[in-house]
Amino acid sequence: MENHFDVLIIGGGPIGLACGIAAQEKGLSHIILEKGTLVNSLYHYPVNMTFFSSSERLEIGDTPFVTTLPKPKRAEALEYYRRIDQKFELNTHLFEEVVSQHQEDGIFHVKTTKNTYTAKYVIVATGFYDIPMHLCVPGEDLPHVFHYYNDPHFFTNQRVIVVGASNSSIDAALETYRKGAKVSLVIRGTEISPRVKYWVRPDIENRIAEGSIDVYFESQIKEILPQYTVIDTKEGVKQIPADFILALTGYRPNFDFLRQLGIEIPQEAPMIPTHNVNTMETNVPGLYLAGVVCGGLNTHLWFIENSRIHARQIITDILQKEKAVRA
């Protein structure tokens, strides 16, 4: 039947591709639907980003990820996953967003911005990078406030406030500083996050110690105005001039979309979507989760390197269901 597949995968990131490969290997027809470009989240990472993981831990499809660097960079990862998609000739549809789905007689009916499909099984591998965690302060919607960071050159000779203590914040602070920005870090906690890459930590600590980068620990933004930002610090309220604010305070899955699919999600943090950790099946029979989306607000729970196994877990469960039906 045209536009009918054994497995429909929502999300064309590394784990979505891994699910497609696993389905293909077992003779299951598949389609991968991605609302943006291939590995869309990785594409929107900062241009100079270096992965924490080594290349072999990012591999899928038993295909080597070759690099001369100890840790691969964004551009290398984009090229690797593009070649994976090409090598396996995956049925990947890009710039095609899923808008709704419903079930009839055990079959999923999935509508996108371009077409309608049916499938026996659906895998959701949508990641968490689409929706930023907002500061929820007055002025956050001003045009000089960014929740994503790309290229440091843009901030040359500017006064930049970077909010957050994680890898994305620290990388942005260091890179913009080295392009001539006057950088101030605003951190809610008492220290730089322990998750910051080990080769980056000495750099930021030394820049803070020598006074090249200002830091406000135990502080948070109270209000953002066009010319300056109001910060509540442990020494009292301060007004800091700022040309740009980089509010890199993290991201979260699209919980509304998951609920539209029928997946149960607790209202309380960490809001981990309901699923069987052994099979990755949700409360909706035949609907699975894969990758970082499984962690809810615990966005540091799953990575490419430790969620690659979800693809085989899911396809193994699907094959068992199919075998039971035929028995």
Side-chain angles (χ1 to χ4, degrees), residues 127-317:
F128 67 87
Y129 199 56
D130 289 332
I131 301 177
M133 299 289 286
H134 290 282
L135 300 173
C136 299
V137 300
E140 189 171 7
D141 58 347
L142 289 172
H144 69 298
V145 181
F146 300 158
H147 290 94
Y148 294 89
Y149 161 74
N150 185 26
D151 191 330
H153 175 82
F154 182 85
F155 303 98
T156 295
N157 299 333
Q158 301 300 293
R159 296 166 298 183
V160 179
I161 291 177
V162 180
V163 186
S166 65
N167 278 298
S168 57
S169 302
I170 301 308
D171 284 346
L174 288 168
E175 290 181 8
T176 53
Y177 155 71
R178 291 200 163 92
K179 296 299 182 183
K182 172 59 178 172
V183 178
S184 298
L185 268 170
V186 176
I187 296 174
R188 179 174 295 183
T190 59
E191 62 178 356
I192 301 297
S193 170
R195 296 192 184 98
V196 168
K197 291 171 278 197
Y198 65 85
W199 65 89
V200 173
R201 176 176 290 278
D203 192 359
I204 187 63
E205 289 176 342
N206 288 334
R207 302 296 75 72
I208 291 171
E210 70 186 15
S212 297
I213 293 177
D214 295 332
V215 63
Y216 297 87
F217 289 114
E218 299 180 66
S219 303
Q220 54 189 321
I221 289 182
K222 190 174 181 180
E223 184 178 6
I224 300 171
L225 298 163
Q227 300 300 323
Y228 62 89
T229 297
V230 181
I231 299 177
D232 193 0
T233 77
K234 57 185 178 180
E235 288 87 20
V237 175
K238 298 180 182 292
Q239 294 182 356
I240 302 177
D243 300 301
F244 293 98
I245 313 294
L246 289 173
L248 307 179
T249 50
Y251 308 91
R252 66 174 180 85
N254 189 338
F255 292 121
D256 290 340
F257 175 71
L258 297 180
R259 290 191 177 104
Q260 287 173 10
L261 298 178
I263 300 172
E264 295 175 354
I265 302 173
Q267 294 295 333
E268 304 79 21
M271 299 178 67
I272 294 177
T274 300
H275 66 284
N276 183 319
V277 296
N278 296 313
T279 66
M280 309 310 294
E281 189 174 26
T282 69
N283 56 284
V284 180
L287 179 61
Y288 297 83
L289 292 178
V292 296
V293 69
C294 302
L297 293 176
N298 283 345
T299 54
H300 298 285
L301 185 62
W302 294 105
F303 304 91
I304 298 171
E305 62 193 58
N306 67 349
S307 64
R308 296 175 297 180
I309 62 171
H310 293 170
R312 296 198 183 279
Q313 286 178 264
I314 293 168
I315 298 305
T316 296
D317 190 63

Side-chain angles (χ1 to χ4, degrees), residues 56-91:
E56 64 268 17
R57 303 184 75 178
L58 301 177
E59 294 172 355
I60 59 176
D62 295 322
T63 302
F65 183 166
V66 179
T67 175
T68 60
L69 301 173
K71 309 286 184 180
K73 290 185 172 292
R74 165 189 171 274
E76 292 179 302
L78 293 179
E79 180 63 13
Y80 172 75
Y81 292 117
R82 184 188 69 80
R83 288 175 178 267
I84 286 289
D85 183 66
Q86 185 180 55
K87 171 186 174 180
F88 289 94
E89 298 181 344
L90 297 173
N91 186 22

